[in-house]
Amino acid sequence: TAAASIGPWRWVRSVLGARFDFDIPVEIGTAIERVAAERGVTPFMVVHAALAVLLARLSATEDIAIATPIAGRGQRALDPLVGMFVNTLVLRTRVDPAATFLDILEQTRDTDLDAFANADLPFERLVDHLNPVRSEAFAPLAQVLFTLNQATLPELGGELGAVVVDGLTVEAVDNEVTPARVDLTIGLAAAAAGQPWRGSIVYATDLFDESTVVLLRERFLRLLSDLIANPAIGVLDVGLMSPDEVAAVRGFEQGPDVTLPDVVSVDAAVMRTVIRDSGRTALIAGEREVSYVEFGARVNTLARA
């Protein structure tokens, strides 16, 4: 396709993406703010911790790196200047399978505070210093970007709300092409009390289709809801699948009852079939078919040898 160049040795991402918008139920948004207040963290940290758990569960890994944009105006001298000062922070989370969500939340708080304290370090300099494996197939250091209540990303600006300054409303202009700078960009925007939060996922169409992103949204909200309802729960004790998915999986592992003949040993069962169904095909190797009678003869010959 035109979306990507695929060769025998490399794959080059096209940076083409699509966007999926959704609502977050009022009860989940309220619970996020409640847990944040009770635990002395921010709503960003609560959602970040839950997202790290989700990615760890889905990828079966324990080391999760999630990037987030930051305004980059840490010095007062920069306030009156017009320019692009946005920086990217990489937030690393170790998701221990034996940990509770409270453990992950505490770790996330420390990680995020340390990162924000060093927000002046340019992302490009960090990449040069760490010198990770560079590829045209994925972004360095982190392939998932998360933001909460920020309008620093143009691809998340429109549906996540306009900005009003001195009576002037500023909103993003719709673009016919949605860029996907990383594999997944997840943006959430809190709302007033009693109103649903807004969410948006920008995904690389080279890697995902909309049905996959819809499933990701469903699992994220299900996991987030269960974790904040009981923060002391183990991160592996929360189910990711819906009841319908569980029923489908259980259906795959069940079938009709089959009555098997009494078998003393495997070789006795094979020899019984050789005698009963000598003309039937026992083995197929390419275009070659071996009948049971030939198979039995070859087995006996090999055993004597």
Side-chain angles (χ1 to χ4, degrees), residues 218-230:
E218 292 174 354
R219 290 182 172 174
F220 177 47
L221 293 184
R222 186 178 303 114
L223 181 78
L224 176 62
S225 177
D226 290 345
L227 290 176
I228 58 182
N230 181 16

Side-chain angles (χ1 to χ4, degrees), residues 218-266:
E218 292 174 354
R219 290 182 172 174
F220 177 47
L221 293 184
R222 186 178 303 114
L223 181 78
L224 176 62
S225 177
D226 290 345
L227 290 176
I228 58 182
N230 181 16
I233 195 172
V235 294
L236 292 186
D237 294 334
V238 177
L240 291 181
M241 298 190 298
S242 67
D244 290 341
E245 289 179 293
V246 173
V249 171
R250 287 178 175 171
F252 295 150
E253 63 187 18
Q254 296 175 352
D257 293 335
V258 177
T259 302
L260 299 176
D262 294 333
V263 176
V264 177
S265 63
V266 173

Side-chain angles (χ1 to χ4, degrees), residues 184-292:
L184 289 170
T185 299
I186 302 172
L188 304 184
Q195 298 295 321
W197 288 21
R198 298 301 309 277
S200 183
I201 300 177
V202 174
Y203 56 96
T205 52
D206 296 338
L207 301 175
F208 306 101
D209 55 30
E210 184 171 318
S211 62
T212 304
V213 175
V214 171
L215 182 60
L216 176 68
R217 182 277 311 267
E218 292 174 354
R219 290 182 172 174
F220 177 47
L221 293 184
R222 186 178 303 114
L223 181 78
L224 176 62
S225 177
D226 290 345
L227 290 176
I228 58 182
N230 181 16
I233 195 172
V235 294
L236 292 186
D237 294 334
V238 177
L240 291 181
M241 298 190 298
S242 67
D244 290 341
E245 289 179 293
V246 173
V249 171
R250 287 178 175 171
F252 295 150
E253 63 187 18
Q254 296 175 352
D257 293 335
V258 177
T259 302
L260 299 176
D262 294 333
V263 176
V264 177
S265 63
V266 173
D267 63 301
V270 172
M271 288 303 105
R272 180 185 302 172
T273 306
V274 169
I275 296 171
R276 185 185 66 234
D277 302 316
S278 59
R280 286 177 54 203
T281 300
L283 299 174
I284 299 175
E287 298 181 355
R288 174 84 161 88
E289 293 188 2
V290 178
S291 67
Y292 270 104

Side-chain angles (χ1 to χ4, degrees), residues 151 157-173:
E159 293 298 328
L160 289 182
V163 178
V164 179
V165 180
D166 290 337
L168 177 65
T169 301
V170 181
E171 58 185 354
V173 176

Side-chain angles (χ1 to χ4, degrees), residues 19-264:
R19 175 172 161 168
F20 176 73
D21 297 317
F22 58 95
D23 288 338
I24 299 175
V26 174
E27 57 271 19
I28 294 182
T30 302
I32 291 173
E33 295 176 336
R34 174 181 53 78
V35 171
E38 292 174 351
R39 301 297 169 180
V41 298
T42 64
F44 175 92
M45 296 173 184
V46 175
V47 181
H48 173 209
L51 180 59
V53 172
L54 175 70
L55 296 178
R57 294 280 301 274
L58 293 178
S59 62
T61 57
E62 300 179 11
D63 192 358
I64 301 298
I66 299 173
T68 190
I70 190 167
R73 293 177 181 264
Q75 302 179 28
R76 181 170 297 179
L78 300 177
D79 290 344
L81 299 183
V82 176
M84 184 67 171
F85 294 93
V86 176
N87 192 22
T88 301
L89 303 180
V90 179
L91 311 174
R92 191 176 186 182
T93 306
R94 300 280 188 176
V95 182
D96 184 350
T100 66
F101 183 60
L102 286 178
D103 297 331
I104 303 300
L105 186 56
E106 182 177 350
Q107 177 194 162
T108 300
R109 177 187 58 200
D110 295 339
T111 297
D112 291 0
L113 290 176
D114 287 344
F116 292 136
N118 293 277
D120 290 337
L121 176 65
F123 176 77
E124 294 77 11
R125 185 178 300 176
L126 179 64
V127 173
D128 291 339
H129 176 74
L130 296 178
N131 192 27
V133 175
R134 304 303 295 269
S135 171
E136 293 179 298
F138 55 85
L141 301 185
Q143 290 80 54
V144 176
L145 196 68
F146 168 62
T147 179
L148 175 65
N149 292 337
Q150 292 188 15
T152 54
L153 297 182
E155 58 267 39
L156 294 178
E159 293 298 328
L160 289 182
V163 178
V164 179
V165 180
D166 290 337
L168 177 65
T169 301
V170 181
E171 58 185 354
V173 176
D174 290 336
N175 194 341
E176 294 182 358
V177 178
T178 300
R181 295 183 293 167
V182 293
D183 297 353
L184 289 170
T185 299
I186 302 172
L188 304 184
Q195 298 295 321
W197 288 21
R198 298 301 309 277
S200 183
I201 300 177
V202 174
Y203 56 96
T205 52
D206 296 338
L207 301 175
F208 306 101
D209 55 30
E210 184 171 318
S211 62
T212 304
V213 175
V214 171
L215 182 60
L216 176 68
R217 182 277 311 267
E218 292 174 354
R219 290 182 172 174
F220 177 47
L221 293 184
R222 186 178 303 114
L223 181 78
L224 176 62
S225 177
D226 290 345
L227 290 176
I228 58 182
N230 181 16
I233 195 172
V235 294
L236 292 186
D237 294 334
V238 177
L240 291 181
M241 298 190 298
S242 67
D244 290 341
E245 289 179 293
V246 173
V249 171
R250 287 178 175 171
F252 295 150
E253 63 187 18
Q254 296 175 352
D257 293 335
V258 177
T259 302
L260 299 176
D262 294 333
V263 176
V264 177

